[in-house]
Amino acid sequence: MEEQKLRQYDFLTAAFLILFGIWELFETFKMPMTDSYGGVETVWYVSPALFPLFIGAALILLGFILLRNSIKTGGAADFIHAMKSIGKSRISNKSVRVLTVLLALVSFVYILIPYIDFFMSITLFLFFLCTAFYPDHDEFRKRFVKHYLVGIGIILILLITGLSGVLNSILKYNMDILSLIFLIYLNIVARKMAKGFEIPKKLIRQVTIISLVVPLILCPLFRYFLLVPLPVEGGIIKLMNLVYYTIR
């Protein structure tokens, strides 16, 4: 491999090591440094946090040494220049299709399913994926993906910063309400964009119906007939519970 490429990877590796080390220290400080077990007091040098603290600090130190080396050899500047070049180059339609599928799957598995009501998770996933591909229009897909990316990014920030917990403490289902607003927003955007690109409105209408009907069948099937607990039972699932146990 070329020397220049290796120095660029040094910069990338250094950034990863530093960030991973910081994250490890952050998690390690949640461990008890001193405690009492069965009336016996423990001290900091026998704490289970000691070893991960050492590893985290060593990773950060090695990361900064590698970062210094990449800056001195020009690897950092070359890496930043390479990233700027990628940003200026036009992404092909084929790449956008692949990235759209990846975005849908990653956001569904890692953001929606673990934290948002299961009904809303499936609905958002289906609506985004079907709307992006059913009209089969590249420019429409690119713009629609940008809107989804912004919305799912806001949800991700709320989850990472812990603001989602604050919102849910005010009202238990605030994150579900937020995801519902996001779905309505995507629907309005899709309809407006479809009009601009002369895409038949019935396509968006069909996607909307499918996105709602599928979870309306799947959720009761798993929850009440197969008796499988759903990943997150938020506002919509609780409403289904109320209806089901009322008419049962």
Side-chain angles (χ1 to χ4, degrees):
M1 190 178 291
E2 296 176 14
E3 183 70 18
Q4 187 184 6
K5 284 282 184 188
L6 286 173
R7 300 290 76 83
Q8 289 183 26
Y9 288 132
D10 280 350
F11 177 74
L12 192 62
T13 308
F16 174 76
L17 287 176
I18 292 169
L19 290 174
F20 186 75
I22 292 171
W23 173 79
E24 186 177 346
L25 288 183
F26 178 76
E27 292 295 323
T28 302
F29 280 121
K30 294 178 182 176
M31 296 181 181
M33 296 299 287
T34 59
D35 211 335
S36 175
Y37 298 99
V40 178
E41 292 289 333
T42 59
V43 289
W44 66 269
Y45 52 82
V46 294
S47 168
L50 202 59
F51 185 68
L53 271 176
F54 173 76
I55 296 293
L59 285 175
I60 293 173
L61 177 65
L62 292 173
F64 274 111
I65 292 173
L66 197 59
L67 180 65
R68 179 174 173 272
N69 185 52
S70 69
I71 292 172
K72 284 181 67 177
T73 55
D78 290 341
F79 179 82
I80 293 169
H81 179 71
M83 288 297 103
K84 286 180 178 176
S85 300
I86 291 173
K88 289 176 182 175
S89 62
R90 189 177 177 80
I91 301 174
S92 68
N93 292 329
K94 185 179 178 181
S95 300
V96 172
R97 290 191 201 103
V98 174
L99 291 173
T100 302
V101 174
L102 281 176
L103 175 64
L105 291 174
V106 170
S107 61
F108 182 55
V109 173
Y110 294 104
I111 300 175
L112 297 176
I113 284 186
Y115 302 104
I116 305 296
D117 179 88
F118 191 60
F119 180 93
M120 287 306 306
S121 298
I122 299 178
T123 308
L124 270 171
F125 171 74
L126 287 176
F127 185 76
F128 169 61
L129 201 60
C130 295
T131 306
F133 284 96
Y134 192 36
D136 196 20
H137 194 295
D138 292 326
E139 193 57 33
F140 173 85
R141 183 180 303 112
K142 284 181 186 175
R143 294 191 187 183
F144 187 65
V145 166
K146 288 177 183 174
H147 286 279
Y148 180 79
L149 201 55
V150 171
I152 204 71
I154 292 171
I155 292 177
L156 180 61
I157 290 170
L158 291 174
L159 292 171
I160 290 175
T161 56
L163 286 173
S164 59
V166 177
L167 287 174
N168 280 342
S169 67
I170 298 169
L171 183 62
K172 193 175 180 181
Y173 303 119
N174 261 341
M175 285 303 290
D176 298 333
I177 295 170
L178 188 66
S179 60
L180 178 62
I181 293 171
F182 181 35
L183 177 67
I184 295 169
Y185 168 75
L186 284 179
N187 197 290
I188 293 170
V189 165
R191 288 175 187 276
K192 283 190 175 180
M193 285 173 51
K195 188 178 179 181
F197 287 106
E198 297 182 352
I199 295 171
K201 285 183 180 178
K202 68 176 184 180
L203 296 187
I204 307 300
R205 189 165 58 246
Q206 288 169 354
V207 168
T208 306
I209 293 170
I210 290 169
S211 304
L212 290 171
V213 169
V214 171
L216 270 176
I217 296 171
L218 278 181
C219 290
L221 181 67
F222 279 93
R223 182 68 179 79
Y224 308 118
F225 295 99
L226 298 177
L227 301 178
V228 177
L230 302 178
V232 175
E233 298 188 359
I236 306 291
I237 301 297
K238 295 294 182 189
L239 188 62
M240 282 186 177
N241 286 344
L242 183 66
V243 174
Y244 175 74
Y245 291 114
T246 302
I247 62 175
R248 186 182 175 187

